[in-house]
Structures are given as C-alpha cells and as structure tokens.
Amino acid sequence: MTAFSDQSDSDLLRRAADGEEDGFCALYRRHQASIYRFALQMTGSTSQAEDVTQEVFMALIRDPVSFDPGRGTLRAFLLGIARNQVLRRFGKDRYYVPIDEEAEMRPANEEGPLDQVSRDELIESVRRAILSLPERYREAVILCDLQELSYAEAAVVLSCAVGTVRSRLHRGRAMLVEKLQPAHHSDPERGMRSARCFA
Amino acid sequence: MNCERFAGLVTDLSRHGIMDARVREEALAHANECGHCGPRLHGELALTAKLRLLADGMNQLQASKELGERLRVEFRSRTFINSRRKVGRFRPWTTAAAAAALIALGIVLASWRVAPVIEEGNHSSDTTRSVAASLSEEPLPEGPVETVVEEREIEATAILPARQPARKRGGKRSLVVETRPDSDDFDYSEIEIATDFLPVNYGGPMNLQDGGQIVRVELPRAALLNFGLPVNMARVDERVKADVIVGADGLARAIRFVQ
C-alpha cells in the first residue's frame, strides 16, 4: 500500500481503470475525507455526506476515464461531482440540519470543560452561519476557506471564472461577518431581538 | 489607498493570501488610519480564525469504513462485469476487418492462379487460333489426362511424369498446379524452363472459375511459328513439349512451350 501512496492520481486512476482494486482503494483513501467533509459542510448532514461521497466514487468506478488532467486536479474533479450531487439533493430537501448529528461533528479536544463548551458553541455558530448562506456563496467559502483550494481549483469545481470565485467569496465572507456579529450570535429561534435602550 | 480599493483587498488580506508586499503595507496602513476599514479588517481576520477553527475541528472527519467496503465490493463487481463484457462484446469493426482480409486474400489467390494466362492475352495471332483449333476440335472427355491427349488429331502424347494427376473438386475438374514430386529420388536435372502461357483466344475471355487442367503434349517445332516464336530451322523436324490449359468445357485456352 505504501507503494501506491507515492503514485500520482493519474497513475492510480489508470490502475483503477485497468481493474486494479488497490489503485482504486488508494484513490479512495486519498480523497474520501475531503469529499466527505465538503458534502458535510454543504449539507450539514452526515448521512447526506455519506451518500454524496458514495455517489462520487461510484461515478469514478463507472467511468474512470472521464477525468481530464488538462482541466484540473483529480481532487477538483471529484469535488465538482460532489457539488453536483449536493445541489441535486438541495432540490429535493433544502432544510436538514439534524440536531442529533451535532455531537458527532464536534471535534474532540483536551481543553477544560468551559473552554470546550465555548469553543463548541463558536464552531457550531460558524457552521450554522455557513449553512445559512446562499448556495453560491456557501460553496465558495467552503472550497476556499475550509477546503483551502486555490481560486483556480475552486473555479474548476464551480465551473466558473476565477473572478467569479473571488467575488462570491468576498460576498460570502461579508455575509458571514455580519451573521457572526454578537448581535446575531444568539439563536434566532429563541426569538431574542436586540432592543434599543432609550434610557 | 482609499476605502474602495481596500474593500477589494480585504479578503486576500485577511486570508493571508499572496499579494504584493507594498500593496499589503498600504492596505494595513489604511486600516490603521480609517475608522471604517480598520474594524472591517478585524472582523475579517476574526472570521478567518473562526473558519480555521471549524476546519480544524472537522479535519478528522471522514466517511465510514462501511462505505469504503461497499465501494470496494462495487468496484469488484463492476470490474468482473466489465471483463465479461469485454470477452463477449461484438465488435463490428473487427468483423468487418476480418471479412475484408478474407476478401483480399481470395482476390490475391485468384489473381495468382489466373495472372500468368491473362498477362499474355494480346499475344495471340491467327495462326495461333488455327493450332489451338486443331487442339480442341473435340471436347475433352472426363477421365485420365493421358486418354484425352491420345485422342487429339495432332497425335500429341500426354506426358505427365512429374505432375500430380488431375484432381476432382466438387464434381468438376480443377486446374492442376504444377508441383514437384515429394520423392527423394527426383532428378533435378530435369527441371524445365517454360514460356509464359499464350492465350488461345477463340474461346473468348479466359475463365477458369469452373476448373480446368493442364495437359502436357508434344508438337512439331514448327508450331512455335504459329505463336510468333523463333524456330531453329535445322531442328524443325524435332518435336517440342508444350502445356495446354484445357477448360472444363474441353476447349483449349492457353499454351506454353517447355524446354
């Protein structure tokens, strides 16, 4: 297996296309986490993220030669498939942020209990803020800031120009800043509203 | 730097993206001076930190192992199906290529058998016709070659010592191809030199698709004159060997002289 870790994506893809299971497994191990996290960040659902990840690699199994190295990296190609799968699911069910999955998404850390609670709250607020963004801005923020793709790679995933990625990211971040300001930090479902003090 | 230009740079500035060092310094200086852009930069930097925190928190998340196993099983089944499809797949271009190759092979074989006769198709003369007519006044009966030749008016003697007898193929006589005997005691001093076949045109275009045979005969040397060949008048009384192609209809089609 270590031999496969040194090989490029194109070599592994060629092996997979030739029916070598080890080549496909190496590709899966290399990219599954990225695809899964992208789908999870976009949908907020672990089950949806699993389904999207499965569909992405099923597409790779069905047609391994559809990837064109001249158009970008394999990671960008797979993220593009994942994005299409996510958008397809958005058309079916647009509102799913299951509460019972929040604990699974919380990272384990070794801080004190209070620090961990505040940290988890902060992460949760950011996650919810991202999920509340319009899709076009959400995917730009996730790809560039969470997946740490370059503008060019994100442009391949989103099938748009680099300038479009930059503008969407700029707008998405501005919206996030606004959402994450202290006045908006409280849960809107509680019905708390800021009130002007006339005293 | 003004606020409008700063707004275009604040994203890259807060994300610590690659940008010109001088522009970065100008932007930071503007943020320190401007009461609007300074807080905006701080907000963007705080957002970057929060996003990094979220990304780090989700860094260990990955798909379940069950999904990996499902995909592995699916890959195996797909590979098996694809291999079966490759075995049983009908390839029209392969079939067409094979058919074309067979047709080309057939054409080559047919031309190889007929070409020596056709090449000389225009070398006949009137005297040739008369000799050929004398050779084929009677249709050749079915049976051994020697019998056929003995009935010729020219009293030709069929001699086929080193040739295989005429063979039957599909109920019709087939063209006898000159072959060498397989026996080890073959005398190679008897190797013969022959002219090309000279067509006998009275029978129409050469067509040996229905079969035929080669008959070895002996003719008066003067018969060479009938085909435009030179004759040594000192040996004009001697006889000369010749091979006559006789079609399935019994008519002579071509002749070659053998030395």
Side-chain angles (χ1 to χ4, degrees):
Chain A
M1 296 301 169
T2 55
F4 287 104
S5 63
D6 297 335
Q7 294 189 11
S8 67
D9 285 343
S10 297
D11 291 338
L12 292 176
L13 196 59
R14 196 177 308 115
R15 287 176 176 274
D18 290 339
E20 288 190 32
E21 185 178 324
D22 290 340
F24 172 76
C25 290
L27 277 178
Y28 177 77
R29 282 193 298 272
R30 186 176 293 179
H31 294 290
Q32 59 90 14
S34 176
I35 303 301
Y36 176 79
R37 285 198 294 270
F38 171 75
L40 182 60
Q41 288 155 356
M42 284 292 291
T43 64
S45 165
T46 55
S47 60
Q48 294 280 347
E50 285 256 333
D51 289 346
V52 168
T53 306
Q54 175 172 314
E55 287 302 317
V56 168
F57 285 96
M58 283 296 296
L60 200 62
I61 291 173
R62 282 193 291 266
D63 192 8
V65 297
S66 59
F67 167 63
D68 181 7
R71 299 183 60 185
T73 62
L74 180 64
R75 184 188 180 200
F77 173 74
L78 295 177
L79 283 171
I81 300 175
R83 181 218 179 204
N84 292 334
Q85 289 291 330
V86 167
L87 295 181
R88 190 175 300 171
R89 280 166 170 73
F90 279 169
K92 297 176 182 176
D93 185 3
R94 300 181 63 85
Y95 302 102
Y96 39 82
V97 185
I99 302 299
D100 58 342
E101 294 177 351
E102 292 176 4
E104 187 179 345
M105 296 176 64
R106 284 183 191 133
N109 54 49
E110 299 175 353
E111 298 173 349
L114 292 178
D115 293 337
Q116 183 173 342
V117 169
S118 61
R119 176 191 168 99
D120 290 349
E121 283 182 350
L122 178 60
I123 290 175
E124 181 59 24
S125 64
V126 175
R127 192 178 70 86
R128 285 182 177 274
I130 291 175
L131 282 173
S132 68
L133 289 175
E135 292 159 12
R136 61 172 59 184
Y137 304 122
R138 190 192 318 168
E139 56 193 12
V141 169
I142 289 174
L143 290 174
C144 294
D145 281 338
L146 299 184
Q147 296 283 331
E148 297 182 347
L149 263 62
S150 65
Y151 291 139
E153 286 179 313
V156 171
V157 175
L158 302 177
S159 301
C160 64
V162 172
T164 306
V165 175
R166 292 174 67 98
S167 64
R168 286 182 184 176
L169 177 65
H170 183 80
R171 178 64 181 145
R173 284 177 63 94
M175 295 170 73
L176 277 180
V177 169
E178 189 176 346
K179 288 175 182 292
L180 291 172
Q181 282 178 352
H184 299 272
H185 188 252
S186 59
D187 192 343
E189 292 181 357
R190 294 181 182 175
M192 295 179 63
R193 294 187 300 175
S194 61
R196 186 171 182 178
C197 178
F198 293 97
Chain B
M1 179 172 291
N2 54 26
C3 294
E4 185 177 355
R5 190 176 177 203
F6 179 85
L9 298 171
V10 67
T11 300
D12 287 335
L13 198 63
S14 61
R15 295 178 71 242
H16 309 293
I18 298 174
M19 59 190 303
D20 185 77
R22 189 177 57 82
V23 175
R24 179 188 296 273
E25 289 178 2
E26 288 180 3
L28 290 175
H30 176 78
N32 288 331
E33 296 170 357
C34 180
H36 174 72
C37 296
R40 182 173 183 181
L41 177 60
H42 287 133
E44 289 277 352
L45 288 171
L47 175 63
T48 299
K50 291 172 184 175
L51 290 172
R52 293 259 168 95
L53 192 65
L54 175 61
D56 292 342
M58 300 181 75
N59 200 29
Q60 301 300 320
L61 295 178
Q62 57 183 357
S64 65
K65 293 182 179 177
E66 290 77 13
L67 174 59
E69 285 302 315
R70 284 202 303 270
L71 287 169
R72 182 195 294 264
V73 171
E74 184 65 25
F75 181 82
R76 285 177 185 164
S77 63
R78 290 276 178 173
T79 304
F80 177 73
I81 292 172
N82 288 340
S83 63
R84 293 289 301 271
R85 282 178 180 169
K86 284 179 182 176
V87 170
R89 188 180 298 165
F90 174 72
R91 296 185 179 88
W93 62 269
T94 307
T95 307
L102 284 175
I103 292 171
L105 181 62
I107 291 172
V108 167
L109 286 176
S111 63
W112 176 71
R113 288 188 170 194
V114 177
V117 179
I118 295 176
E119 285 174 357
E120 301 295 334
N122 296 325
H123 293 179
S124 62
S125 62
D126 294 338
T127 54
T128 302
R129 291 195 189 94
S130 64
V131 173
S134 65
L135 284 171
S136 57
E137 284 178 351
E138 297 175 5
L140 289 176
E142 297 288 335
V145 173
E146 290 80 4
T147 305
V148 173
V149 177
E150 285 172 356
E151 293 178 0
R152 299 288 178 197
E153 288 185 359
I154 61 173
E155 296 177 356
T157 303
I159 45 175
L160 295 170
R163 298 172 193 280
Q164 294 180 346
R167 290 172 291 184
K168 287 275 188 179
R169 183 184 299 169
K172 296 180 179 178
R173 285 184 177 272
S174 61
L175 186 66
V176 176
V177 179
E178 184 175 357
T179 58
R180 297 299 178 197
D182 294 331
S183 59
D184 293 333
D185 56 353
F186 176 71
D187 186 4
Y188 286 92
S189 64
E190 295 181 357
I191 293 176
E192 297 172 335
I193 301 173
T195 64
D196 291 333
F197 275 103
L198 306 173
V200 181
N201 279 344
Y202 67 91
M206 180 71 68
N207 183 6
L208 296 175
Q209 295 296 325
D210 295 332
Q213 59 183 355
I214 296 177
V215 179
R216 171 61 58 85
V217 299
E218 285 189 5
L219 299 171
R221 188 169 291 271
L224 293 171
L225 293 172
N226 297 331
F227 295 93
L229 298 174
V231 177
N232 184 357
M233 298 307 293
R235 301 170 59 189
V236 70
D237 295 333
E238 296 179 6
R239 304 180 77 82
V240 64
K241 296 177 182 177
D243 291 336
V244 179
I245 295 180
V246 181
D249 54 0
L251 298 178
R253 300 301 174 89
I255 187 171
R256 72 177 177 187
F257 295 94
V258 181
Q259 184 178 6

